[in-house]
Amino acid sequence: MKRRPYNIDLRAHLEQCDDNYRRLTRLMPDLRQTDRCEFRMFPKGAALIVTFEVTHRSRYTTVLTLDLPASVRSIGGMRIKIRVYHDARTAEVIEFQGQRRFQAVYDYPNPQMRQPDEKVQVNRFLSEFLNACLRYGVAHQERVMIG
């Protein structure tokens, strides 16, 4: 039996990216003026330090790197680059663990072994991670403002 090709649900994907923008602006309310934000998270007893750092800024967009260093409790490190579109009030993953340029749909199998809905999955993961940051993050925040 032949598989049905995957078709992206564009409306749901865009809503996810819009929700990610709202989550990011709750974590970094002064995103347009802040170059770095660091805070601690305590999910299920682990002590994690999450860093958001601006790597590029222009009039309508900001590129952030979300960094979670490897932990002594066997939690591996994580790095996600996010492009924030201020005019459209949306945010999407542009790099995940060194992988970039996600297409909307992939044939499967493919040389990178990406899932047919890889782009949707990495943005959903960002959503879940930002929710965890909001849920388990503590008030201690270090912000570095633009000079």
Side-chain angles (χ1 to χ4, degrees):
M1 187 165 118
K2 188 169 178 161
R3 282 180 146 183
R4 284 183 50 201
Y6 169 76
N7 291 310
I8 189 168
D9 181 345
L10 189 57
R11 175 186 276 177
H13 176 70
L14 292 174
E15 285 175 7
Q16 182 83 70
C17 292
D18 293 351
D19 290 343
N20 284 342
Y21 178 86
R22 285 189 283 279
R23 290 178 186 99
L24 278 169
T25 56
R26 284 181 59 201
L27 289 165
M28 291 179 70
D30 47 0
L31 174 61
R32 287 187 167 197
Q33 292 80 33
T34 302
D35 282 336
R36 186 167 199 254
C37 177
E38 184 176 285
F39 61 95
R40 288 173 176 55
M41 258 178 51
F42 297 94
K44 299 186 180 184
L48 308 173
I49 297 175
V50 178
T51 305
F52 291 94
E53 189 161 358
V54 172
T55 56
H56 177 78
R57 189 185 304 276
S58 67
R59 184 174 182 179
Y60 299 110
T61 63
T62 301
V63 175
L64 295 171
T65 299
L66 183 160
D67 193 27
L68 178 68
S71 165
V72 294
R73 290 186 165 219
S74 303
I75 297 174
M78 180 178 65
R79 179 167 288 196
I80 302 174
K81 283 195 179 178
I82 307 154
R83 180 166 290 127
V84 179
Y85 300 90
H86 299 289
D87 53 341
R89 302 179 61 83
T90 195
E92 72 173 334
V93 174
I94 57 171
E95 184 177 318
F96 184 84
Q97 299 294 77
Q99 296 182 43
R100 301 190 282 180
R101 294 188 178 97
F102 296 102
Q103 296 175 16
V105 177
Y106 287 93
D107 289 330
Y108 191 83
N110 58 69
Q112 301 91 5
M113 290 307 292
R114 291 184 174 170
Q115 295 297 312
D117 63 341
E118 190 88 10
K119 183 173 190 152
V120 169
Q121 287 189 36
V122 295
N123 281 288
R124 186 179 307 128
F125 179 83
L126 175 64
S127 170
E128 292 170 8
F129 188 80
L130 294 175
N131 278 336
C133 289
L134 290 165
R135 187 177 309 119
Y136 299 111
V138 296
H140 168 75
Q141 293 186 356
E142 173 189 310
R143 289 188 164 91
V144 178
M145 302 298 279
I146 297 171

